[in-house]
Amino acid sequence: MAYSDLEALARIIKCEAGGEGENGMKAVASVVMNRVNITYGEYAKYKTVKQVIFQPRQFVCAMETVGGTYNAQNIYNMSLEQIHWDIAEWAMAGHRLTNLGSALWFFNPYSDTCKPNFPSAVGSFVVRIGDHCFYNPTAAYADT
């Protein structure tokens, strides 16, 4: 499907953080937009929302199959509500959660604690919002 950047962002917000409340959804939107706007490191070559979202192996919700099995929770199966559009527009207008910093990564650890680094030494824990841990780039990220 040919989604606009706005619709792709609204869909990834719903899929990745639909159950995380408004701040959780804004945090995910902020990560996507931080990747769009970063000027160094491996993400610097991805300049649009769709390029970021559909970068291989970055967002499980952007994959139709995971480990050879159909992934039913993907952006193609999301039914959007007005809040998803509103948060996508908010993020695309340049807004970010202030406690998030310049986070480029998030994940659900399925535990009460967040790892100090993710996905490796290139990301340093900054904040937990709902079930997700968020990570800012370290100096090592610049070399990716």
Side-chain angles (χ1 to χ4, degrees):
M1 285 188 178
Y3 296 130
S4 67
D5 276 358
L6 180 65
E7 184 173 359
L9 184 56
R11 286 179 175 278
I12 204 77
I13 290 165
K14 166 78 183 250
C15 189
E16 292 283 354
E20 296 294 318
E22 186 172 337
N23 277 347
M25 291 187 285
K26 284 182 173 181
V28 165
S30 295
V31 166
V32 171
M33 295 310 299
N34 286 346
R35 287 188 183 192
V36 168
N37 293 314
I38 197 159
T39 59
Y40 65 95
E42 69 178 301
Y43 299 133
K45 63 185 172 187
Y46 301 100
K47 294 297 179 196
T48 70
V49 170
K50 288 192 303 187
Q51 287 175 342
V52 167
I53 290 171
F54 293 109
Q55 180 189 2
R57 298 172 306 283
Q58 294 299 303
F59 297 99
V60 173
C61 283
M63 296 186 262
E64 288 188 84
T65 60
V66 176
T69 304
Y70 177 69
N71 176 26
Q73 185 174 336
N74 66 60
I75 64 172
Y76 307 104
N77 294 336
M78 295 294 107
S79 296
L80 299 177
E81 299 164 29
Q82 189 60 47
I83 192 167
H84 306 115
W85 293 103
D86 292 346
I87 291 171
E89 289 175 346
W90 170 88
M92 290 183 78
H95 302 285
R96 302 290 179 273
L97 287 182
T98 55
N99 62 339
L100 196 65
S102 56
L104 296 177
W105 305 275
F106 65 89
F107 86 107
N108 183 337
Y110 297 99
S111 74
D112 293 336
T113 59
C114 296
K115 299 189 297 188
N117 297 94
F118 180 84
S120 63
V122 301
S124 179
F125 175 73
V126 64
V127 69
R128 183 179 187 125
I129 301 174
D131 290 332
H132 290 108
C133 304
F134 291 83
Y135 296 82
N136 281 337
T138 65
Y141 169 74
D143 296 329
T144 63

